[in-house]
Amino acid sequence: MPEAKSKAQQRAAGAALSAKRGETDIDDLQGASRQMYDSMSEEELEEMASTDRSDLPENADGD
């Protein structure tokens, strides 16, 4: 299962997960969160969004 490489990636996964669950509007997603919504399962998004943030950089290369 995927793990977030940065805090920004984790936030994008959380936004995509929220939309996947119907908690937020899909049209509100932009950029990475929209791509994640389209290409990842709910289980993958949940794993990425739940990554421990304490050791993550704000942005990773490519974020």
Side-chain angles (χ1 to χ4, degrees):
M1 296 294 275
E3 288 192 4
K5 303 292 185 211
S6 69
K7 292 176 184 177
Q9 190 178 48
Q10 184 187 35
R11 284 192 300 271
L17 179 60
S18 178
K20 189 78 82 167
R21 291 179 173 169
E23 298 168 356
T24 57
D25 194 336
I26 297 165
D27 293 331
D28 291 339
L29 299 179
Q30 300 177 17
S33 59
R34 181 58 187 239
Q35 291 173 341
M36 289 177 177
Y37 174 86
D38 291 335
S39 65
M40 298 175 76
S41 70
E42 185 174 334
E43 292 80 22
E44 290 172 316
L45 290 168
E46 189 171 324
E47 178 73 21
M48 188 172 280
S50 67
T51 302
D52 182 25
R53 296 180 66 153
S54 61
D55 293 331
L56 295 179
E58 183 60 37
N59 291 300
D61 292 338
D63 276 1

